[in-house]
Amino acid sequence: MTQKGKILVVDDDRLVLATLTHGLAQAGYEVIDADNGDDAILLARQHKPELALLDIRMEGKSGFDVAVYLREYCQIPFMFLSAFADEATIKQVKELGALTYLVKPLDIQQIVPAVEAAFANRAKTHAPAEPAAAPSPVAAPVATPQTAPAPASQGAASSTAPVDPLTQNVAIAVGIVMHRNSLDRQQSMAKLAQQAQQEGRSLEAQCERLLNAQEVLAGLGSL
């Protein structure tokens, strides 16, 4: 199987980590996994993944710490997976420039479309770039969740998420259609546009409708 891309998955819950790794591998991705922040940084430097999925609350370096390092020294985009959705956490997620934020508990069928959307959006908006020289992970100045600077002030790193990561409805909807119908990005976009035209809606409204339906299904759990 041709690999769709390389993903770093970080979670200190071994069961969650194994589930994510297996599910993403089955979806066609090359997966590198770590159960702590220090190993995650080392693996990111060594393997240069195209996307990172980060749990937030871990012993040692948190997902926020890892995200700062990936943003500052590797220019690797990331998304967060967390059981916490309080106001302070959401604020920090936005400041760090995450592509999106998924609240646990999660099913792999929810995660794969978000990953597909991230790769689709990255392909459109990010040209390949050489990563900046990175210092040793031990000596890296990793910001704490309270002091991490907003991406808008970080030059090249700010390109990871110039908009609210929770409002990229079209990209996420494209990812859902890609996963459900085994289509590529162009075919998925065309399918959404055709449905919108047939039902007399804008593309944005059609994508919002699809996401609302997906959230309702996710809320029902396993039937």
Side-chain angles (χ1 to χ4, degrees), residues 36-38 41 56 58-66 137-138 140 142:
N36 64 82
D38 290 303
I41 288 174
I56 292 179
M58 301 182 290
E59 291 187 13
K61 285 185 173 64
S62 70
F64 287 150
D65 296 328
V66 176
V138 176
V142 179

Side-chain angles (χ1 to χ4, degrees), residues 46-64:
Q46 179 181 356
H47 295 280
K48 299 178 175 59
E50 297 161 86
L51 177 68
L53 275 62
L54 307 174
D55 185 26
I56 292 179
R57 302 196 181 183
M58 301 182 290
E59 291 187 13
K61 285 185 173 64
S62 70
F64 287 150

Side-chain angles (χ1 to χ4, degrees), residues 1-16:
M1 178 184 294
T2 301
Q3 298 292 340
K4 295 180 180 179
K6 187 184 297 185
I7 303 175
L8 171 65
V9 180
V10 187
D11 199 304
D12 62 355
D13 185 319
R14 294 295 185 90
L15 179 59
V16 172

